[in-house]
Amino acid sequence: MGEKTSAFTTVGPEVRHQIVELETVTVRFAGDSGDGIQLTGTLFTNTTALVGNDLGTFPDYPAEIRAPAGTLPGVSAYQICFSSQDVRTPGDQPDVLVAFNPAALKVHLPDLPEGGMILVNVDAFTEYNLKKAGYTSNPLEDGSLAKYRVYKIPMTTATLSALRQIDLPSKDKERCKNFWALGLVYWLFDRPLEPTLRWIEQRFRKNPTIAQANATALRAGYAYGDAAEIFTVHYRVRRAQIAPGVYRKITGNEALALGLITASQLAGRPLFYASYPITPASDILHELALHKNFGVRTFQAEDEIAAMCAAIGAAFAGYLGATGTSGPGMCLKSEAINLAVMVELPVVICDIQRAGPSTGMPTKTEQGDLLQALFGRNSESPVAVVAPATPADCFSMAIEAFRIATKYMTPVILLSDGYLANGAEPWRLPSVEELPKIELRFRTDPNDFYPYLRDPETLARPWAIPGTPGLEHRIGGLEKQHITGNVSYDPQNHELMVKLRAEKIARIAEDIPLLDVFGEPEGKVLVVGWGSTYGAITSAVEHWQKKGASVSSIHLRYLNPFPRNLGEILHRFEKILVPELNLGQLALLLRGRYLVDAIPFSKVQGRPFKISEIIDRIGELL
Amino acid sequence: MTLGGNGQGTVVKLTKRDFVSDQEVRWCPGCGDYAILAQMQKVLPELGIPREKFVFVSGIGCSSRFPYYMNTYGFHGIHGRAPAIATGIKVCNPDLSVWVVTGDGDGLSIGGNHLLHAMRRNVDIKIVLFNNRIYGLTKGQYSPTSEFGKKTKSSPMGTVEMPVNPICLALAAEATFVARSVDRHTDHLAYVLERAARHKGVAFVEVFQNCNIFNDGAFEPFADRSVKDDRMVVLEHGKPLIFGKNRDKGIRLNGTTLEVVTLGDGITESDLLVHDEKRPDPAIAFLLARMDYPEYPVPVGVFRAVEKPTYDELVNAQIEAAIAERGQGDLEKLLRSGDIWVIE
Ligand code: SF4
């Protein structure tokens, strides 16, 4: 992927509108948060998915709903990388920057490589807006953009003139300029308008004038590219060679919600999802609330604590109980998660991590909650922890979380993050028939029933739900006597129970897949990642492998317990590099567990790794 | 652990003994909690509900040991969170009779938020708040219901906090059933608990409970048998508010104020406020709830009992409506929703 920029910057011969084929392109839309940037990016992504490219996206928006217009903090951006080859990340650097105003240009210009293409809305470069963005002179005129290919496009006036005939206040017409720009970008990359036109028609069914205005703007933008004399070429990115199947585009949060519903269907029990609104987890609640005909009960609780407690109550009652939150909410939930540990009920806790500590940077990504997930509760409190590697993997890991939770009667924490949550990729739909059922075993037999008599294999206690005659029993947060479940302060019993709870989680290792090494099974450098860094790490490792370097990688989707062969793999390499979006939490665990010299590679900027950053760091170890 | 029931789920006539668990009761001898436990075990068999359908949920505190002593399903939760746990249980299985046992610290301090929201949502759960106006389990600190100026271990010079009135709080949250009783007034307590049990919707019951170790006699000045007739008033639906050993005193509504009057001298029963627990707006109930000794007799009984759709009912009705409208969810279809494309 590192090579693609040069291919892109080669301008074709001066034949009007020649089509130049490209392998991979990264486009970034940037503008005011009120400009509809996220929507524009999403629609471009939908179309790109439909034409069969592989893709990855990175929405990057301010936490404020409407930061002051035209200011730097108000800039919202959406990046998409699409390709005829495998795409694992949203791209390190944009090849094309679509800047709706001076602030957007200012914020995003530093990411643009030399020779990159800039499409600016020249109408927005007024003295007032320039000043707001902190420009002392107009960059479009002062020569400061000489290194780039700048296209000054009158997006606002062109939109207004295209919409002359439409009866709308000009303020509303002006708001159609994102569709106009989208049309232009569609032309530039030779994409069809139909998917977006269909979307407009559906979305504005109740407001045909707005629908007409947006559709007209979209078409006008496209026609502008074709007719105006400013572009000499446009580009085509062929379909990717990806595995046959039925695909859709999916974000991590959508996949997670669908995974939770699927788990409930596979288990034959309804889902109860309790949550308190929090960025970037709220979309899961919104999505689940739409699917009540799957028996999904959503509960918008009064706070994070109540959400966790209600999920525990639901689990006690025999439902699939789940909750979702982000770091600050995890802090509040810890006491109740510990209750779930003690009463040994299956609850899935989704932590969509964000930059912290405290409120931190709500819309920015981070992997800072790993140690919290493992240890952030009083006393010895083992829980299973899983982490999806890609947006689509959120689907599989949500099912996996419930499989583990119900089989072992334990809370399971699923660690996603803002990057996975909002990032999108094509997802090959699984065949529902082929998904393994989740077998639930509810205790009904009152003979020899003891609430803490464990299954000899899994050490799970029986799940006996209220309403079952003869199984009346009491559970709670006080220490339990082994087998009977009565309250017990006996010292030996306590130690036994602490060890049993730990052993129960440890045994899950027997029940999860072994790690696959990407690359040679032994060698010089092993890169170890977990969660959302999968794409960047794999691409970086592949880069070195192509050059013949001895670099392999493994990616952990199970963080507690670790896969059984982890230690053995670690010991087969000379150097171990652990890139993480934190200050080295997994590295600390690997050092502690396996006595290896794991080298942390940290990034905590609220942004994902660039492939090039990992490539460079690996290079230093070779 | 008790292996009770006949295991078949058939309704047999249950007795008090069926609700007594095999766990040794660990409250201090003389504690008011015993009386409440006894009345609960007496009332439940009368309801015609199979034992396995009862769930008792509690938080932390002396009162929260309650579920261990009930031979039903029980969940001893964490401090203050019982209403949230109970909400999860009830929404998922509306068939159950779900009870929350809490105290003034558990329910009004650390768990105030959950209590408020369970009540305003009208979740069909029964909340019994043992109010002893002290922290018992942690050995004697003041609670949110301790009177202003109370000297305790954590307030050696007296508290500087105004207490909260649990009934006022419940009414402000528009709980659909709000009542009060006293641990030792056993018949009245049984009556109130049974009313709560039979109410459809959230029921909030405050029980004045004597903590004979850390706050002995807190309610004696008005609740003691020797004085209660003169210092307490029993609210009865449709009846004028009369009290006094000689039934010669009453409560009259004067403008927006309640006043104590003596019958005779031109004042008759018809001048008195007639209690209406079904009154949709809780304003008068609120005035009643604010009556306190010594200015007023302390009211007990049902302040409010109105019918409204319950939260659990509404949640489940939406599920049914969604299924009726869109059909039982089809997973294959759901996964394929939105734009899809096929790679050959
Ligand atoms: S401390 Fe008070 S409330 Fe607690 S059990 Fe003893 S008497 Fe009862």
Side-chain angles (χ1 to χ4, degrees), chain A residues 19-198:
Chain A
I19 290 225
V20 173
E21 289 240 354
L22 297 172
E23 184 187 291
T24 304
V25 179
T26 300
V27 177
R28 185 182 294 177
F29 298 92
D32 235 9
S33 46
D35 282 337
I37 299 300
Q38 298 304 319
L39 176 63
T40 309
T42 305
L43 292 171
F44 187 81
T45 303
N46 292 349
T47 300
T48 298
L50 284 173
V51 302
N53 294 134
D54 198 1
L55 64 91
T57 74
F58 181 55
D60 187 16
Y61 50 90
E64 296 76 17
I65 300 302
R66 283 285 160 91
T71 62
L72 302 182
V75 173
S76 170
Y78 188 104
Q79 180 163 315
I80 169 170
C81 173
F82 55 103
S83 176
S84 56
Q85 301 298 315
D86 251 10
V87 172
R88 299 196 191 93
T89 77
D92 279 9
Q93 295 175 303
D95 302 305
V96 180
L97 172 64
V98 185
F100 283 79
N101 66 8
L105 179 68
K106 182 147 202 193
V107 170
H108 292 287
L109 189 64
D111 292 340
L112 207 65
E114 236 173 80
M117 182 192 275
I118 304 173
L119 309 182
V120 288
N121 179 13
V122 70
D123 295 328
F125 281 66
T126 60
E127 207 172 310
Y128 178 72
N129 283 348
L130 286 164
K131 214 171 128 201
K132 260 199 185 162
Y135 278 115
T136 46
S137 69
N138 188 342
L140 302 182
E141 285 156 12
D142 63 10
S144 60
L145 302 177
K147 291 188 299 186
Y148 311 97
R149 288 185 288 151
V150 183
Y151 295 89
K152 296 180 232 176
I153 300 162
M155 296 184 191
T156 313
T157 42
T159 304
L160 289 174
S161 104
L163 302 184
R164 266 184 330 270
Q165 313 284 353
I166 293 175
D167 182 25
L168 272 178
S170 44
K171 241 196 139 66
D172 289 0
K173 288 184 185 173
E174 216 184 301
R175 293 186 55 190
C176 299
K177 69 174 180 298
N178 60 328
F179 280 96
W180 191 94
L182 182 60
L184 176 61
V185 182
Y186 279 151
W187 176 82
L188 193 60
F189 292 103
D190 193 31
R191 335 241 93 182
L193 299 183
E194 285 66 34
T196 304
L197 289 171
R198 270 203 308 272

Side-chain angles (χ1 to χ4, degrees), chain B residues 284-295:
Chain B
I284 305 264
F286 192 81
L287 290 179
L288 292 170
R290 287 184 54 82
M291 295 202 301
D292 204 359
Y293 177 78
E295 292 79 22

Side-chain angles (χ1 to χ4, degrees), chain B residues 26-28 30-33 62 132 136-137 209-214:
Chain B
R26 298 258 182 91
W27 289 310
C28 307
C31 174
D33 291 358
C62 291
N132 55 18
L137 196 67
Q209 174 247 322
N210 192 43
C211 169
N212 53 313
I213 302 296
F214 295 110

Side-chain angles (χ1 to χ4, degrees), chain A residues 285 288-300, chain B residues 91 94 309-329:
Chain A
L285 175 64
L288 289 172
L290 292 173
H291 303 298
K292 295 190 197 303
N293 60 329
F294 286 83
V296 178
R297 273 80 171 162
T298 51
F299 174 50
Q300 183 176 316
Chain B
V91 168
T310 70
Y311 178 78
D312 36 295
E313 195 173 71
L314 292 171
V315 167
N316 287 291
Q318 283 195 347
I319 303 288
E320 274 157 39
I323 292 172
E325 200 183 301
R326 286 179 266 161
Q328 194 72 248

